[in-house]
Amino acid sequence: MAAALHPKLLTDLRSGFAGELLTPGDGEYDSARVVFNAMIDRHPQLIAQCANPADVAAAIAFGREQGLEIAVRSGGHAVSGVSVNDGLVVDLRRMNSVVVDPEAGVARVAGGATMSDLDRATQPYGLAVTGGRDSSTGVAGLTLGGGSGWLERKYGLACDNLLAAKLVTADGELLAADEDRHPELFWALHGGGGNFGVATELTFRLHELPTVTIAMLLWQPEAGPTVLRHYVDYMATAPDEVGGAFVHFTGPPEEFVPSGLVGRLTAALLLTYAGGEQAGREVFRPMLGHGHAGELIAELPYADFQCMLDDPPGGRNYWSAEYLDSFPGAAADLFCGRAAEMVVPSASLNAVFPQGGAVARGGDHPVPWRAAPWAVHPFGVWEDPADDARGRQWAHDVCADLQPWSIGAVYLNFIGDEGAERVAAGLGTGNARRLAAVKSAYDPENVFHLNHNIVPV
């Protein structure tokens, strides 16, 4: 059992703390410790709901003096649940401001902001930056891990648009990093995750994007292999403005979904276009003639689209991923065949994302998976604990089937704790020594280790 918190140290922390400090028994404690993945049920000794960087520094100092393991929470979406522990949680959710400078085309985003906070702030100016595929995802965790999202083929990954960062180190120092200040640290923040400190502010380059157009097309599941083959061929020449995903999912009770697919396994194609409907329909035309059973085509603000596919918190989550150098017919058959083993009905997705475009052209960052043209993401979400073994096995089997086409690298934000070899695959073997040197410079005692950890040398 962990040692009790020292009462005088806790009193001293409270005296200068602008946010809130929660301990077991406090009224908001139980709701504050809940994260996205319902498989995670941990009981921190202290949740420090920070209001500013000074609070973050004070909480870290307190945790280190008390010998507490330190977790850092922004959005709380990590499937591994590392945003909460049984020691100290540095909770940034009160720090969620977004300041947009439309003339400069940049946004300064506080460390606890979600994608919804960012998207809603930039939308009135017709501006946007690549975000995740769920509006409740934390901006900081997404970006520091690389940052894959719907706009990536046109505008690059979230980290490709990162201009500067402020973070509190394990020693409590507030640093500003960019290409000129702490350049090695700034490089490491483009894919190295939360290994180096607590990000309290991120500055992004924004892009003009007044509207987006989407097409959701539905088929019976047995049509999946044929549709996926057509999609692979289509994306080989699609412009960078086009993104989306091929997925299997549970048909929702929506007007555009045929009654025979509601609540049942469905093959679907989501096409996205960074622009208006007239141009989008023309670009989508090659995929509109394959006998789909349901259709939704709409032009809408990007911020509204970003929350259309949100998964509510409270489900039991298990995810994995593989990044492929090609997607031949044999791979399509295997991928679609595994969909029958997915938990249905549920919020699970058997997803394939196209990369290429600006992702492939990105900079010299520790993001080794950007070279792959295709990403496979078994995203398991279900309600009943009795489905845990089945859901995990399905995700493992999807990835195992596609190993012959895997490049070996993987986006760490898409996986949980799959061992040190997978962490190395997510960071890139060529980057390992350089990242470890940055870790040693800024967190030599590995205070921030509840992550896809980089061990200091």
Side-chain angles (χ1 to χ4, degrees), residues 159-207:
C159 75
D160 295 335
N161 293 283
L162 183 65
L163 300 175
K166 293 181 180 178
L167 71 162
V168 178
T169 69
D171 290 335
E173 185 178 1
L174 179 62
L175 296 181
D178 54 30
E179 290 185 350
D180 299 317
R181 299 171 295 178
H182 302 278
E184 277 296 282
L185 173 62
F186 188 58
W187 170 82
L189 296 177
H190 292 68
N195 272 281
F196 314 103
V198 180
T200 57
E201 183 180 284
L202 303 174
T203 300
F204 292 95
R205 177 191 304 110
L206 302 177
H207 304 271

Side-chain angles (χ1 to χ4, degrees), residues 2-50:
L5 300 180
H6 192 289
K8 183 179 185 305
L9 293 178
L10 185 57
T11 298
D12 290 345
L13 178 61
R14 289 187 190 277
S15 67
F17 205 79
E20 294 291 332
L21 298 171
L22 302 176
T23 56
D26 289 340
E28 298 179 5
Y29 171 84
D30 280 327
S31 61
R33 69 181 182 85
V34 173
V35 290
F36 184 76
N37 188 355
M39 288 187 180
I40 309 302
D41 184 23
R42 297 179 182 139
H43 296 76
Q45 289 183 263
L46 179 65
I47 301 174
Q49 296 185 321
C50 302

Side-chain angles (χ1 to χ4, degrees), residues 342-363:
M342 191 169 71
V343 177
V344 175
S346 76
S348 298
L349 300 173
N350 195 37
V352 176
F353 299 120
Q355 294 205 127
V359 178
R361 297 191 298 268

Side-chain angles (χ1 to χ4, degrees), residues 402-430:
L402 296 170
Q403 276 294 315
W405 301 278
S406 175
I407 68 169
V410 65
Y411 177 34
L412 295 176
N413 282 357
F414 271 180
I415 70 171
D417 183 2
E418 297 187 9
E421 289 186 4
R422 285 281 267 179
V423 173
L427 299 171
T429 54

Side-chain angles (χ1 to χ4, degrees), residues 121 139 151-152 208 255:
V139 175
L151 300 179
E152 63 191 12
E208 291 188 8
E255 289 186 7

Side-chain angles (χ1 to χ4, degrees), residues 12 23 44 48 66 75 81 110 118 120 135 145 168 187 199 209-210 213 216 246 299 313 322 336 410 428 455:
D12 290 345
T23 56
Q66 284 274 176
L118 174 55
R120 294 298 176 187
S135 68
V168 178
W187 170 82
L209 187 68
T213 301
M216 177 69 83
F246 175 86
E299 178 181 335
E322 288 295 334
C336 293
V410 65
V455 179

Side-chain angles (χ1 to χ4, degrees), residues 133-148:
R133 297 176 175 90
D134 187 306
S135 68
S136 62
T137 299
V139 175
L142 173 88
T143 304
L144 299 180
S148 176

